[in-house]
Amino acid sequence: MELQEEIFTKIVSLVNKGKLSFQKKNFEKAIEYYMKARTIFPVPIEEYKGSEQLYILLGDACFASKKYEKAQEYYIQSQNCVDKDQYLNSKFKIGKIFFEIEQTDLAKKYFQLVYDNSGKKLFYFEDAKYYNLIICSGNKGTNKEEKQNSVYKSFKGKNYTKEEWDIFEQRQWEEYLIKKGNFSKKNEKGLFLDEK
């Protein structure tokens, strides 16, 4: 379901404050803003568009604070939302939690699932240690995207596949909008600007 405009505006304002706190590495303050935004959502929150992104943001702030159990709880809650666009993203993030708490077999399982369904897309802007876990195990799977490994463009000494270039361009555009102060607007992809 769609949020009413007044509620949407309040939520976006709190989320943007949370994102700014997160960027300043004030993760506790970010969690506080996200939790305030969560209380504004009508109940049941899972039925409203944008709830899955809010749970992902809460999970990210908890992960950054090394509150791994709480982060996992929020990532799992994001999977229960009506809009499941973030499903593989949350699976990837749960894999990161297992990696950080040294449960590498479970981390590998989650990373393999993500890789088999979306290729390297979610690994691209992350620490290489996560992708290396499935590479070093010699079990990359049989993903269709392997054929897209050819260089599409090069920029500042780095080679990009077509998919990687598209992600890079999207991130550049989002950073530009944030710098221009347009980060509170809805975009066509979803509720918040950094949705994937």
Side-chain angles (χ1 to χ4, degrees), residues 142-153:
T142 57
N143 188 278
K144 297 173 189 173
E145 294 191 17
E146 285 301 306
K147 65 184 178 185
Q148 295 181 347
N149 278 342
S150 59
V151 175
Y152 176 72
K153 287 192 179 186

Side-chain angles (χ1 to χ4, degrees), residues 6 43 57 149 161 170 177 180 193:
E6 182 180 338
V43 177
L57 290 170
N149 278 342
T161 63
Q170 179 64 30
L177 289 176
K180 292 298 239 177
L193 275 181

Side-chain angles (χ1 to χ4, degrees), residues 120-127 160 164 167-168 171:
K120 292 192 282 185
K121 181 177 168 182
L122 292 174
F123 293 90
Y124 185 68
F125 288 102
E126 296 287 344
D127 192 313
Y160 295 86
E164 292 168 341
I167 294 167
F168 174 75
R171 297 254 169 137

Side-chain angles (χ1 to χ4, degrees), residues 13 15-16 22 36-37 43 80 88 113 118 141 164 173 180-181 185 194:
S13 174
V15 165
N16 287 332
F22 188 92
K36 284 181 183 175
V43 177
N80 297 324
L88 284 176
L113 170 83
S118 68
E164 292 168 341
W173 174 246
K180 292 298 239 177
K185 292 183 179 177
D194 65 354

Side-chain angles (χ1 to χ4, degrees), residues 23 25 37 80 105 117 128 144 166 168 186:
Q23 289 172 357
K25 301 195 183 311
N80 297 324
D105 286 342
N117 284 283
K144 297 173 189 173
D166 291 343
F168 174 75
K186 276 188 187 180

